[in-house]
Amino acid sequence: MKLDELVRPAVRRMQAYSSARDEFHGQASIMLDANENSLGSAGGGPFNRYPDPHQRLLRARLATLNGVTAEQVFVGNGSDEAIDLLLRLTCRPGQDRIAITPPTYGMYEVSAALNEVQVETVPLNAEFQLDDAAIEQLLAIDAKLVFLCSPNNPTGNLLHAAAVERIARQARALVVIDEAYIDFANAPSWASRLDELPNLVVLRTLSKAWGLAALRVGVCLGSAELIAYLDKIKPPYNLSTIAQQLALEGLHDTQRFTALRDQLLEQRAWLRQRLEACPLVAKVFPSDANFLLVRLSRDATTVYRALLAHGIVVRNRSGQPGCHDCLRITVGSAEENQALMLALEALAQEDRTP
Ligand SMILES: *Cc1c(COP(=O)(O)O)cnc(C)c1O
């Protein structure tokens, strides 16, 4: 696979925007190059200067954490920005296509629709895996990008490593593994295989295990060549100074990260046990994420609405392929999970009283 052949000719030809911060390197005491406000900021904060467009400190930290070089790290305004940029990098509107494996994360399709990119689907099987026939089908699609989500949203399971590896080895496309939930999983990140599998792209986010969703920081790991292309097409100042600073602070607080993750995993086990004992629940699917996909023994939409009446919002995924009567429930705090179970058990009780 030659990356250049997957990149839109228009992107190869175009000149990247050169910001004031790109053109001047070095130390200066008087900065009159970017039309910033040298007098200060409304609100009193020190926000009058543009952020580092290259996010150097943040990328260096992410490189260390992920065992890659800084040249292999792209940071976006959420991983949703990286998804959109990968599409725009490779797919010509109205001509090229991507492949996805439903049920899966909704943004691949939304981003494709916005960019007028066709979406080919190869459904996961009843265990939410890709069997050999499905892999063949996936490999036969003339796609620029294949999106695989592992652990998958909304199902919670990891895709089998052998299937992912075969796709990464044989596809002529870029194979994007969305690892938004990998920190909750009992499996290594595909980031460790980037040097070996040149068309592999790994998406990570600070929104889930790191608990920093409000900052909007997503991470794309790939070959240095791919990352250079993403840098070429990204909005120059795509991450605010505040987001960069607070993300960096968070990424140094590995103690809290570990404590949060361990608590979540404990709560996930507690919630699974209680759900499995609840008469309203037909099945709790295996989860390597911070949520559980739950199949109910009665109409999911009715239960969804009844929970809303208790002030509890979960995600109704019953309309997704393979997810009939399923709710996706985020693992919350101990108190939240207890409240959820009380509400579900009360509903089950109502069911039994005529
Ligand atoms: C939550 C989630 C994301 C996160 O996106 P951000 O834009 O980084 O918040 C990405 N992929 C999947 C599968 C998700 O569930």
Side-chain angles (χ1 to χ4, degrees):
M1 186 221 54
K2 286 277 279 276
L3 180 61
D4 277 346
E5 288 165 14
L6 291 175
V7 170
R8 282 164 62 195
V11 172
R12 274 187 269 139
R13 278 196 306 270
M14 72 179 255
Q15 196 69 42
Y17 177 73
S18 184
S19 73
R21 291 295 170 264
D22 282 312
E23 291 185 3
F24 173 77
H25 297 281
Q27 291 295 316
S29 50
I30 300 179
M31 303 292 283
L32 301 176
D33 60 343
N35 297 348
E36 295 153 334
N37 194 326
S38 288
L39 309 185
S41 311
F47 303 129
N48 52 332
R49 298 297 174 186
Y50 278 104
D52 173 11
H54 307 291
Q55 303 116 1
R56 285 188 180 84
L57 297 175
L58 185 54
R59 290 191 201 212
R61 177 67 185 150
L62 285 163
T64 305
L65 283 172
N66 289 289
V68 298
T69 68
E71 290 69 40
Q72 291 178 291
V73 181
F74 174 84
V75 276
N77 190 252
S79 36
D80 288 350
E81 182 177 47
I83 292 166
D84 183 66
L85 289 175
L86 284 165
L87 265 152
R88 288 201 276 165
L89 178 67
T90 56
C91 296
R92 292 163 298 177
Q95 292 188 53
D96 293 322
R97 55 188 68 74
I98 66 165
I100 64 170
T101 61
T104 193
Y105 186 46
M107 276 309 288
Y108 315 134
E109 212 164 352
V110 169
S111 243
L114 178 59
N115 290 298
E116 288 188 60
V117 169
Q118 198 179 316
V119 179
E120 301 283 344
T121 58
V122 177
L124 300 172
N125 66 19
E127 280 77 52
F128 301 129
Q129 295 291 342
L130 290 162
D131 48 36
D132 285 343
I135 295 173
E136 297 291 344
Q137 220 183 318
L138 204 53
L139 291 170
I141 297 168
D142 182 23
K144 292 286 175 98
L145 299 172
V146 176
F147 282 99
L148 301 175
C149 189
S150 182
N152 187 37
N153 178 3
T155 62
N157 62 293
L158 285 159
L159 296 176
H160 290 148
V164 173
E165 174 148 2
R166 178 163 171 220
I167 294 161
R169 286 199 186 281
Q170 294 181 11
R172 289 179 310 273
L174 287 178
V175 177
V176 184
I177 320 286
D178 188 339
E179 293 189 336
Y181 301 98
I182 193 69
D183 297 306
F184 303 106
N186 190 13
S189 165
W190 285 92
S192 62
R193 308 290 299 281
L194 284 173
D195 292 336
E196 194 187 331
L197 302 165
N199 58 336
L200 197 64
V201 182
V202 175
L203 297 179
R204 309 290 300 267
T205 179
L206 272 56
S207 300
K208 308 286 159 64
W210 289 95
L212 297 170
L215 296 184
R216 308 303 302 127
V217 180
V219 184
C220 177
L221 309 172
S223 67
E225 198 187 1
L226 173 75
I227 301 308
Y229 269 125
L230 290 176
D231 280 335
K232 181 176 180 181
I233 65 170
K234 82 179 179 75
Y237 302 111
N238 60 329
L239 255 75
S240 74
T241 300
I242 290 294
Q244 292 184 50
Q245 284 175 353
L246 296 184
L248 194 58
E249 238 175 74
L251 290 172
H252 281 290
D253 192 3
T254 49
Q255 218 174 341
R256 176 97 171 123
F257 167 81
T258 309
L260 288 173
R261 187 192 51 194
D262 292 350
Q263 280 173 48
L264 256 155
L265 294 180
E266 251 174 58
Q267 285 301 311
R268 187 177 76 190
W270 182 88
L271 191 57
R272 164 180 298 283
Q273 201 179 17
R274 286 291 289 267
L275 284 166
E276 282 172 347
C278 177
L280 278 188
V281 172
K283 180 177 173 116
V284 184
F285 288 90
S287 174
D288 268 290
N290 65 340
F291 58 84
L292 294 169
L293 186 72
V294 180
R295 176 159 289 144
L296 301 176
S297 51
R298 48 176 285 196
D299 179 53
T301 304
T302 309
V303 177
Y304 171 76
R305 295 214 182 99
L307 284 175
L308 274 185
H310 281 84
I312 299 171
V313 201
V314 298
R315 197 92 150 114
N316 186 356
R317 297 282 83 183
S318 57
Q320 295 282 303
C323 297
H324 67 88
D325 291 316
C326 285
L327 299 178
R328 192 196 68 192
I329 303 178
T330 306
V331 178
S333 67
E335 295 72 29
E336 289 170 334
N337 299 333
Q338 281 157 21
L340 168 76
M341 287 317 307
L342 284 179
L344 281 175
E345 282 151 13
L347 289 173
Q349 197 63 40
E350 280 170 35
D351 259 12
R352 258 182 282 140
T353 41

